[in-house]
Amino acid sequence: WIKMAQKDSKLCNLMISGSKYHTSTIRNAMWYKGEILEIGTPRNDIFFITNNSIRNNFDLNFGTKPNQKLVLYAPTFRLNYYKNTYFLDPEILIHSLKYKFGGEWKLLVRFHPNLLNKNYKELFNFTHNSVIDVTKYNDMHELLYISDILITDVSSSIFDFSILKRPCFLYMNDLETYERGYYFDFHKLPFELCKTFDDLNLAILKFNYNEYLNKLNLFNNELGTCEKGNSSEQIIKWIKEKVF
């Protein structure tokens, strides 16, 4: 993997960064010595626009209603696949969300693409009437865009979703045994860390948005986040100047 990463980095003329922290990670972990544009990431430009057609198309294809709220459960993959790792009780979860935030809820479940070749449907209770399998949905950022709440673990989607300033919970019952490592101390992130399903439910019921928002803003300032929604435009400008 290291040899391939070093080779790939030599092939790149430009890398894109969404924060000062991301820039340092590119330098330290990807063997890249070329130019870096610290202008935000193109995939996140979607979070700065209003596009009702994304939710309308989702409702049409999955049978949800415009007034229903959506919680997205999107864990990353493990080298070992244990059903218990992804345990969520949809009925209890939906009840907690309804009690705390009001409204009617649907649970979107998106497993990592690396599990598409595995029988991922054995890892979760997809039979519950509140659950919608969106594992094969082709755009993760559209799912983030339409979701009211994100539940994940060590996925980098937490940084993208934080732009929307919506509630996010980290649910990871295998934190001590997770084998792929991570860059942050997850106890110091602005997102509530839950090691059991009971912890997750309690975190939802005790959630305080103002406290969360303050922690989130401080965290993004520490990262040096530079997302403004015009990354794609700036990259096109760079290409035109360099190439044409």
Side-chain angles (χ1 to χ4, degrees):
W1 179 87
I2 292 177
K3 289 181 179 179
M4 291 301 298
Q6 291 172 335
K7 180 181 178 181
D8 290 344
S9 293
K10 290 179 180 178
L11 294 174
C12 294
N13 298 100
L14 180 71
M15 285 199 180
I16 312 301
S17 170
S19 67
K20 294 185 182 301
Y21 181 86
H22 188 197
T23 299
S24 67
T25 302
I26 292 173
R27 292 293 189 211
N28 297 330
M30 302 186 70
W31 298 275
Y32 178 71
K33 298 179 180 180
E35 184 176 355
I36 298 176
L37 276 187
E38 204 172 86
I39 54 170
T41 39
R43 67 174 183 265
N44 290 335
D45 285 353
I46 187 177
F47 300 138
F48 293 85
I49 63 174
T50 299
N51 188 342
N52 295 327
S53 66
I54 296 175
R55 177 60 193 263
N56 292 339
N57 289 335
F58 184 88
D59 290 339
L60 183 63
N61 291 321
F62 289 91
T64 48
K65 299 176 182 178
N67 62 333
Q68 287 178 323
K69 296 182 178 181
L70 305 177
V71 52
L72 174 63
Y73 175 49
T76 190
F77 73 99
R78 276 77 169 158
L79 298 179
N80 296 308
Y81 307 100
Y82 300 113
K83 185 174 182 179
N84 186 55
T85 302
Y86 308 103
F87 171 75
L88 280 179
D89 187 314
E91 188 165 350
I92 295 176
L93 178 65
I94 294 297
H95 178 77
S96 297
L97 291 169
K98 186 175 181 179
Y99 180 85
K100 176 64 179 181
F101 299 103
E104 298 296 326
W105 288 81
K106 288 289 186 179
L107 172 58
L108 312 183
V109 179
R110 180 183 175 87
F111 278 101
H112 194 279
N114 282 10
L115 294 183
L116 283 174
N117 292 329
K118 308 287 183 179
N119 193 1
Y120 71 88
K121 291 194 174 183
E122 292 183 353
L123 300 175
F124 196 86
N125 178 18
F126 283 100
T127 61
H128 194 276
N129 58 13
S130 67
V131 176
I132 300 175
D133 180 9
V134 292
T135 300
K136 296 181 181 179
Y137 193 91
N138 64 359
D139 193 329
M140 173 63 173
H141 280 66
E142 287 190 1
L143 294 177
L144 294 174
Y145 182 81
I146 65 174
S147 294
D148 299 282
I149 291 177
L150 173 65
I151 299 173
T152 185
D153 40 37
V154 296
S155 170
S156 61
S157 61
I158 59 177
F159 303 109
D160 298 339
F161 193 71
S162 70
I163 296 171
L164 295 167
K165 301 188 185 301
R166 299 172 188 167
C168 174
F169 301 91
L170 304 183
Y171 171 52
M172 194 170 185
N173 59 21
D174 61 344
L175 184 66
E176 285 76 17
T177 59
Y178 180 71
E179 65 281 271
R180 296 181 60 233
Y182 28 82
Y183 289 104
F184 290 93
D185 180 349
F186 277 75
H187 294 87
K188 296 180 180 180
L189 293 178
F191 319 104
E192 192 73 26
L193 177 62
C194 312
K195 295 184 179 181
T196 68
F197 181 63
D198 288 340
D199 291 342
L200 176 61
N201 271 291
L202 184 60
I204 290 171
L205 295 174
K206 293 174 61 178
F207 180 76
N208 183 304
Y209 182 74
N210 289 331
E211 291 181 5
Y212 169 72
L213 186 60
N214 288 335
K215 291 179 182 178
L216 196 61
N217 289 334
L218 287 172
F219 178 69
N220 281 326
N221 288 336
E222 290 175 3
L223 287 182
T225 301
C226 55
E227 302 282 359
K228 295 181 180 179
N230 62 352
S231 176
S232 301
E233 180 182 353
Q234 293 192 65
I235 293 169
I236 290 172
K237 181 180 179 181
W238 185 94
I239 292 173
K240 286 182 177 179
E241 291 176 351
K242 297 289 184 179
V243 178
F244 302 110

